[in-house]
Amino acid sequence: MINPQLSIVEFNGVTKRYVTSEAPAVNEATFSIQRACITALLGGSGSGKSTVLRLLAGLETPEAGSIVLAGNTVSDGRTFVPPEKRNIGLVFQDYALFPHLTVKQNIEFGLGKKSKQDGQRARSMLELVELDQLGHRYPHELSGGQRQRVAIARALAPQPDILLLDEPFSNLDDALKAHVRRDLTRIIRTAEMTAVFVTHDVRDVFAAADRLIVLDDGHVRQAGRPDEVYQQPANPGVARIFGETTIIKAQSHGNMAHTAFGEIDLGVPEIPSNMLICLRPGDLQIAAQTESGLQAVVECTTFFGMYNELLLRLTPADSTTEPVHLTLPLSCDESYSPGARLTLTRAVRRIHFWPAD
Amino acid sequence: MIRPGRHARSWFVSTALLVIAVSMPAIYVALHVFGGSNPVWDHLAATVLTDYIVNTFILMLGVAVLVTPVGVLCAWLISAYDFPGRAWLEWALVLPLAMPAYITGYAWSGIFEYGGPVDSLAAFLGSGSSLGIDIFSVYFLAALFAFVLYPYVYLVARSSFARQSAGLIEAARLTGAGNWEVFRRVAMPLARPAVAGGLALCLMEVLNDYGAVKYFGVSTFTTGIFRAWFALGDTGAAVRLAAVLMLFVFVLIVLERRGRARTAVSSSATMRRQTLRGKKALLALIFCLVPLSLGFVFPVVRLLTWAWRTASDVLDLQFVYLVLNSFALALGSAVLCCAAAILVLYTARLQRTRLAGFLAQSATLGYSIPGAVIAVGVMTPFAAIDHGIDGLVQSLTGSGTGLLLSGTLIALLYAYLSRYLAVAFQPVDAGFERTAASMDEAARSLGASPLRALLQINIPMVRTAILSAIILVFVDVLKELPLTLILRPFNFETLATRAFEFAGNEQLAEAANPALLIVAVGVIPIVYLNRLMNAKQAR
C-alpha cells in the first residue's frame, strides 16, 4: 500500500460511462498517484486513459466512486468540484492555445490580477520554457514544439497542485519527440511539479515516467515502476501493451519448462506445474544444435538498418499443436536463410511466466 | 461534458425560459388548429377558405416548378464551367435576395403600367396592351416570387456542388460521361436533398409574404389573417387561419430538415471548372443574366427612376426620422437576437446533453413560421394579459394602466426575437462549432468561470460570426412587413410599412425611396458575406 502522505490523487472505484456506448469507458478504477512523480497512464485507444485524465480535471463526471485531489474530495456521489476550482494544470493534445491572445496573455489567463500586473510570473514561466523572446507573438506564429511549451507554461503559471498532459508526444514527429521528452521532464522537475501524462507509446513511458499505470478496456490492470511492470507484467494483456509478445503453454519437467516446441530453462529454481510463458523478442538467443531448447525454422531475415530481424516459426513435436511465430533481433551482419533449423535458449536472466491451472 | 454545477444550472434555466418564451407564439397558434365553432370562422370556411387554399397551392407549385431548374442550372453553370462574367455572377446571382417580394412586385407593376416600358414595347410591336400579360393574377405572382426567391435554391445547390468531391466527378468523366451526363447522373442526384431543402425555404417565404399578395390582390392565408383581424375584428378566426397556415409550414420544415440532414458529403478538393468559349460561353452568360435581370436589375432600375423623380418630395426631415427609427429598431432586434442565440448555444456547449440540444433546436423553429402567424400568436395573449392587468388595477385603484405590452415596442421586439433568433443562431452556431471544445476546457482548467470563458474566449473567437449574425438579422428586420404591420405601436412607421402604405395609396413612385433604401441595405450582407467567403477560400 502506498503511503497516503505521499499520494496526491486517489481514485476509489471510479466508473464512467458515456451516453454513446454500453461499456463503461472507465470501470471501477482504483489507484493513487504519488506526489512529485511523473506518472504515465498507458493504454491503447479506448482503454479509458484519457477519460481518467478528464475525470481528474473535472471535465467529466463519474457515475460511481470518489476522487480525492490534494486531500480534498473533488468528486463523489454528493460533491462535484467544477474544473475551475480544482487547481489543476491541463495541457491538451491540441494545446488549445487561445488564438486571439498573445503568448504572454495566454500564460497570464489563469493568473490573478496582482501577479498579472507585475508580469513577474509570466516572465519566469517564459524563461522556464525558454521562450523569453516570444511573449508578444500569437500562437499561429509559433512552431508545434513552441506551442506545446506555451501550453505547459500556461498550465504551470497558476501553480497548480498537479499538471495533467493529454498525449503530449503524439503530435510530434519522431526526430522531435526525443528532444521534447527531455525538455518536458526537465521543465517538470525544475518546477518540482507532480505530473500525469497519457500515452499509447511505451517509449514515452520509459523515457519520461517514474511511475506507470496500465489501463485496458476501462480497467486499471497494473501500477508500478515502469521497469517492474515491463519485467513482471500482471497478465498477458499488460505484456502485449509493451509490444510483440509470444505466449506458450508449458508444464514443469524438473526445473525445466516443457513445451510443445521443446524444453527451456526459465532461470527460476522453482516453477509451478502448469504455466504460460511470456516470450519477448530479446528473451531468446540462438544456441548450439546440441543443447536442448525450443525448436524453430527460419521464415525470413529482414534488414532494419541498425539490426536484422529474424522471423521464426516454432515447430511443434506433435502435429496437434499450431505452430507459433516470433521474432528475434540479430546484429546486422548475422543472417539465416529461410528454412534453416535453429535451437533457441534463454538470453535474459529470467523469463517471465504466469502460473496456470 | 462538464457537469451542471451551480453555475451551469442557472445557464440552463435561463435558456429553458428563453426557449419557452420564443416558442410561445407558435405554440399558442398551433393549439388553435381545432378550435370550437365561431361564426366568423364558419363564414370564412364556407366562403373564402377554398380560395385561400387553392391560391396558396398555385403559388407554391408555380414557384417550385420555376425556381428548381433556374436555381440548379445557374448553380451548375457557375460550379462546373468558366465563362466571361462567371466570377461576379457567382455572387450577383444572390442579389434578388436583397429585394423583398413586395418591393419587386411594386417595381414590376411599374414596368407594366400604362405608358411604361412594356406598354410602349407592346405598342411598338403592335400587340395588345402589356403584351397581353395580366400582372394582377396568381400566375404572374408565382413567376414574380420565383425570380425573387430562386437564390435560395441557387445557394444550396452551389454549395452542394462545391462540396461534392472532385474525385466523384472525375471518376464519372473517366467512364466517358459527358458534362450533361455527369450533371444528370452524379452531381444532381447528390445535390437533390440539399435542393429540396432550399426549395422548402423558398416556399416558406411564399407563405410568409403579405405585401406582394395584398398588392396583387391574390387572397391567401396571410391576406385572410389580416382581413379577419383588421376588417372583421375577429381575432379567433385570425388565429384559426394562422393555425391552418402552420400545417403547410410544418410539411416544409420536415422537408427542409431532411434536406439538411442528408447533405453530409464533404471533400476538400472541388471539381475543376471547364472553360467555355464562343457561343457556348455567351449562352451560359445569358442564361444566368435572365433571372438576375428579372429579379434584381430591372426592378432596381425602375425604382431608381421613380426615386429620382420623387426624391425632392419624399426626402425630408421626416424621412430621416423614419430611417433612424427603422435602423434603431433593426439594430436593437439584431443585438437582442444575437445575445439570445449566444445564450442558448453556449448553454448547449456547457451541457452537451440531449435536453440542451433539443432546446437549441426548438429555438430555431420561429423562422419557418410566417410573420403574420407569430404576430397573431404574440398579440392575442398579450392583449389578454393587458386587459387582465388593467382590469385588476382598475378595480383596486379606480384608474387603469392602459396597454402595457400589446401595441408597444416590447411586443414588437419579442415577436422579432421569436422569428429571427434562428437567423442569428446559424452563424453563431457555425462559429461555436469551429471552436474546439478544448478551448473552453482550457479556460475552465485555468480557473475561469463559465461566464468568463464565454466573455474572454468564446465571444472573441467567434466575433466575425457574431457580426454576420447581427447584419443578417438587421437586414431581415428592416424589410419585415406583416409582423410589423400587426404589432407596431400606433403611428409607428418603418421603411417597410411606409413603402407598403405608399403602394396601397397607388403612390408607387413615392414608395421607391424607402424601398430602395431597404434594398441597398439588403445588398450589404450579400457583398460582405461573399467577401468573407472568398477570404476563407484564399486562406
Side-chain angles (χ1 to χ4, degrees), chain B residues 258-519:
Chain B
R258 271 182 52 195
R260 233 183 317 166
R262 285 165 53 189
T263 48
V265 189
S266 71
S267 155
S268 48
T270 51
M271 72 178 104
R272 242 193 38 225
R273 282 192 276 270
Q274 286 195 331
T275 307
L276 295 180
R277 282 180 214 293
K279 219 182 273 172
K280 283 187 173 174
L282 188 66
L283 277 176
L285 179 65
I286 290 173
F287 188 89
C288 293
L289 281 178
V290 169
L292 175 61
S293 309
L294 297 180
F296 188 77
V297 180
F298 292 167
V300 167
V301 170
R302 173 77 272 199
L303 291 175
L304 279 171
T305 53
W306 272 337
W308 181 252
R309 213 173 68 206
T310 57
S312 53
D313 299 334
V314 179
L315 299 185
D316 48 14
L317 193 62
Q318 218 190 342
F319 189 78
V320 175
Y321 282 135
L322 180 69
V323 171
L324 289 179
N325 208 15
S326 290
F327 279 25
L329 181 67
L331 186 65
S333 325
V335 171
L336 186 68
C337 288
C338 217
I342 291 171
L343 170 67
V344 173
L345 285 162
Y346 189 64
T347 303
R349 204 175 161 82
L350 278 179
Q351 298 225 327
R352 291 185 200 272
T353 57
R354 274 191 203 145
L355 185 59
F358 171 76
L359 281 180
Q361 282 280 309
S362 323
T364 64
L365 274 181
Y367 193 58
S368 339
I369 295 166
V373 176
I374 299 231
V376 167
V378 169
M379 196 57 163
T380 324
F382 270 29
I385 294 171
D386 273 347
H387 285 301
I389 294 176
D390 186 52
L392 187 71
V393 174
Q394 198 145 32
S395 67
L396 292 175
T397 65
S399 67
T401 55
L403 300 181
L404 295 174
L405 301 170
S406 49
T408 65
L409 275 180
I410 294 174
L412 198 53
L413 283 173
Y414 171 52
Y416 285 145
L417 177 66
S418 174
R419 178 148 160 79
Y420 294 117
L421 177 56
V423 177
F425 206 81
Q426 223 215 339
V428 176
D429 190 24
F432 274 173
E433 284 289 311
R434 282 194 300 272
T435 311
S438 58
M439 290 294 165
D440 305 49
E441 292 171 354
R444 302 289 299 281
S445 77
L446 288 165
S449 66
L451 182 64
R452 184 173 166 228
L454 174 66
L455 294 178
Q456 294 191 353
I457 303 301
N458 292 82
I459 288 183
M461 281 183 73
V462 299
R463 58 187 183 273
T464 3
I466 291 175
L467 185 61
S468 317
I470 287 182
I471 292 177
L472 288 173
V473 179
F474 182 87
V475 170
D476 263 341
V477 170
L478 201 67
K479 62 186 185 192
E480 209 293 328
L481 185 61
L483 191 158
T484 318
L485 280 176
I486 296 183
L487 290 178
R488 64 182 167 156
F490 184 68
N491 268 345
F492 184 91
E493 294 270 13
T494 66
L495 287 168
T497 61
R498 178 62 64 85
F500 174 78
E501 272 163 12
F502 275 135
N505 300 333
E506 289 302 321
Q507 291 178 284
L508 283 177
E510 283 73 13
N513 281 295
L516 262 182
L517 192 55
I518 294 175
V519 174

Side-chain angles (χ1 to χ4, degrees), chain B residues 158-239:
Chain B
R158 196 185 72 188
S159 76
S160 169
F161 292 144
R163 279 200 307 260
Q164 286 172 11
S165 111
L168 273 177
I169 306 289
E170 276 158 17
R173 288 227 167 98
L174 285 173
T175 63
N179 283 320
W180 177 247
E181 283 284 279
V182 169
F183 169 72
R184 201 172 59 83
R185 292 179 49 195
V186 182
M188 186 54 213
L190 282 173
R192 196 170 292 143
V195 169
L199 183 58
L201 288 176
C202 288
L203 299 181
M204 285 175 194
E205 285 294 327
V206 172
L207 295 181
N208 178 44
D209 175 80
Y210 171 66
V213 288
K214 166 83 179 155
Y215 184 76
F216 283 86
V218 175
S219 303
T220 61
F221 282 101
T222 37
T223 56
I225 291 170
F226 272 82
R227 222 179 98 192
W229 187 279
F230 289 112
L232 305 175
D234 187 333
T235 54
V239 172

